[in-house]
């Protein structure tokens, strides 16, 4: 599986910072301003489920179309799709490929194309554009709690999923995130220094006893974080058994779990240490 290099990430960050400065953008980022300034035609229309957005090139002009099938205009998800397509436009290799070889490029945004380097780059561009690092870090001055993600999502007009992933990518707190779709685990993402070894539940139901397992039988979201047994999700070992470099880091904490219900089929489960 191809991954972005650090150099490529820095290149995309610099590109985004230049765009924000050039068009004097503020939070939440005005994507329509960028499209209009670049003479990109854009619109929303219901299509089938095959794509979220499309960037096309025809007769010397660029067009961005967003699919409203499950992606209503001005929602966090729709804005991410819009920013993702703008990313394809600004990243030279993506734009030139479109001009020289194809008439359009279909995309599944919000981290759905984990095997495609092109889509990863456009997703990263979208995250950096919608949630600029400096503004995002300033907004995260308070310790992590589920309501913080909701506050950030509202401020930047981004989805809970995109906001959580940005929070993890910037290593603002040790988090472990599980994606559950139609009752099965379909993916995980975590901070690089999350201290526990994950049991592999891919394409399986969440473990019995977890909050998200109980939510699979109703339409609710978590009311508040709940303490969970470490061994539900992780091959747990007492940290002091294998990490003796820093005694302070060997202190044992309880684990908390909270679940965001995104829609009827998708739940985002968050696990973290209760070190307050």
């Amino acid at each position: 599986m191809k991954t972005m290099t650090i150099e490529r990430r820095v290149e995309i960050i610099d590109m985004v910072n230049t765009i924000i400065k050039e068009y004097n953008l503020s939070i939440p980022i005005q994507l329509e301003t960028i499209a209009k300034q670049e003479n990109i035609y854009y619109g929303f229309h219901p299509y089938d489920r095959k794509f979220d957005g499309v960037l096309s090139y025809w007769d010397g002009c660029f067009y961005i179309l967003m699919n409203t099938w499950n992606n209503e205009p001005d929602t966090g998800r729709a804005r991410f799709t819009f920013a993702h397509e703008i990313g394809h436009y600004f990243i030279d290799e993506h734009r030139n490929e479109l001009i020289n070889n194809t008439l359009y490029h279909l995309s599944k945004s919000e981290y759905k194309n984990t095997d495609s380097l092109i889509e990863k780059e456009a997703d990263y561009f979208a995250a950096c554009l919608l949630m600029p690092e400096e503004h995002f870090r300033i907004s995260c001055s308070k310790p992590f709690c589920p309501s913080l993600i909701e506050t950030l999502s509202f401020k930047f007009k981004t989805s809970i999923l995109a906001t959580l992933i940005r929070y993890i990518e910037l290593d603002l707190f040790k988090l472990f995130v599980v994606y559950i779709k139609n009752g099965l685990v379909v993916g995980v993402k975590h901070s690089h220094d999350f201290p526990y070894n994950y049991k592999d539940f891919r394409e399986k139901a969440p473990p019995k006893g977890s909050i998200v397992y109980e939510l699979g039988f109703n339409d609710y979201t978590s009311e508040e974080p709940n303490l969970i047994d470490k061994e539900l999700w992780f091959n747990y070992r007492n940290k002091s058994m294998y990490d003796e470099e820093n005694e302070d880091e060997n202190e044992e904490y309880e684990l908390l779990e909270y679940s965001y219900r995104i829609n009827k089929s998708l739940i985002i489960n968050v696990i973290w240490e209760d070190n307050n």
Side-chain angles (χ1 to χ4, degrees):
M1 183 182 297
K2 295 181 179 180
T3 59
M4 280 186 292
T5 64
I6 294 176
E7 292 77 14
R8 186 60 159 174
R9 288 177 181 270
V10 170
E11 182 180 336
I12 290 174
I13 292 170
D14 290 342
M15 188 187 308
V16 166
N17 289 339
T18 298
I19 294 167
I20 292 173
K21 183 177 181 180
E22 181 176 348
Y23 294 127
N24 194 29
L25 301 174
S26 57
I27 304 299
I29 296 297
Q30 303 83 44
L31 300 172
E32 295 80 3
T33 297
I34 300 173
K36 290 175 181 176
Q37 291 291 335
E38 293 293 326
N39 295 314
I40 301 172
Y41 299 92
Y42 63 92
F44 296 84
H45 191 78
Y47 299 95
D48 59 24
R49 306 182 188 186
K50 293 181 179 178
F51 69 95
D52 291 327
V54 57
L55 175 66
S56 63
Y57 177 77
W58 180 259
D59 198 22
C61 296
F62 286 93
Y63 302 83
I64 291 177
L65 294 176
M66 274 73 68
N67 189 356
T68 60
W69 175 80
N70 192 25
N71 203 16
E72 291 301 315
D74 207 39
T75 61
R77 183 178 173 186
R79 280 172 49 78
F80 197 96
T81 297
F82 200 170
H84 177 104
E85 299 306 329
I86 289 175
H88 283 312
Y89 168 83
F90 273 102
I91 297 173
D92 289 341
E93 294 86 347
H94 301 194
R95 184 180 64 255
N96 292 335
E97 174 67 21
L98 186 66
I99 292 173
N100 296 326
N101 297 314
T102 59
L103 295 177
Y104 59 88
H105 176 83
L106 301 177
S107 293
K108 285 278 191 178
S109 67
E110 271 210 326
Y111 309 99
K112 292 180 182 175
N113 286 286
T114 56
D115 295 329
S116 169
L117 183 57
I118 289 176
E119 297 304 295
K120 286 180 181 179
E121 290 178 351
D123 274 345
Y124 189 67
F125 178 101
C128 293
L129 178 62
L130 293 173
M131 296 167 280
E133 181 172 349
E134 182 179 356
H135 292 280
F136 199 83
R137 286 187 180 277
I138 291 173
S139 301
C140 295
S141 57
K142 295 181 180 180
F144 173 80
C145 65
S147 61
L148 172 61
I149 299 301
E150 294 169 346
T151 299
L152 293 170
S153 174
F154 179 80
K155 177 176 181 178
F156 292 92
K157 293 186 70 174
T158 50
S159 69
I160 292 293
L161 174 59
T163 307
L164 268 170
I165 291 178
R166 184 64 168 158
Y167 194 88
I168 289 174
E169 285 181 339
L170 294 176
D171 279 323
L172 293 166
F173 195 82
K174 297 177 183 179
L175 289 183
F176 192 92
V177 176
V178 186
Y179 316 138
I180 298 96
K181 189 168 186 179
N182 295 320
L184 300 178
V185 174
V186 295
V188 299
K189 192 172 183 66
H190 58 85
S191 307
H192 80 279
D193 55 354
F194 192 81
Y196 303 106
N197 298 317
Y198 169 64
K199 293 179 180 179
D200 193 352
F201 284 95
R202 279 178 300 180
E203 302 303 326
K204 299 178 183 178
K208 292 182 179 181
S210 64
I211 304 305
V212 70
Y213 179 84
E214 300 300 327
L215 289 177
F217 299 100
N218 56 55
D219 292 330
Y220 301 109
T221 190
S222 294
E223 294 183 359
E224 60 184 17
N226 289 272
L227 290 172
I228 61 168
D229 187 335
K230 296 180 178 71
E231 294 185 358
L232 280 178
W233 287 101
F234 306 101
N235 296 307
Y236 172 67
R237 293 182 297 173
N238 185 299
K239 288 188 288 183
S240 61
M241 294 171 58
Y242 58 93
D243 182 1
E244 299 179 354
E245 293 182 3
N246 190 327
E247 292 185 1
D248 292 337
E249 292 183 357
N250 293 333
E251 185 176 354
E252 286 295 303
Y253 298 111
E254 300 287 348
L255 284 187
L256 290 171
E257 181 183 46
Y258 184 88
S259 299
Y260 301 92
R261 179 172 291 283
I262 307 304
N263 53 48
K264 288 185 178 181
S265 63
L266 180 63
I267 298 174
I268 305 298
N269 199 50
V270 185
I271 301 169
W272 71 99
E273 288 186 320
D274 181 18
N275 54 9
N276 294 325

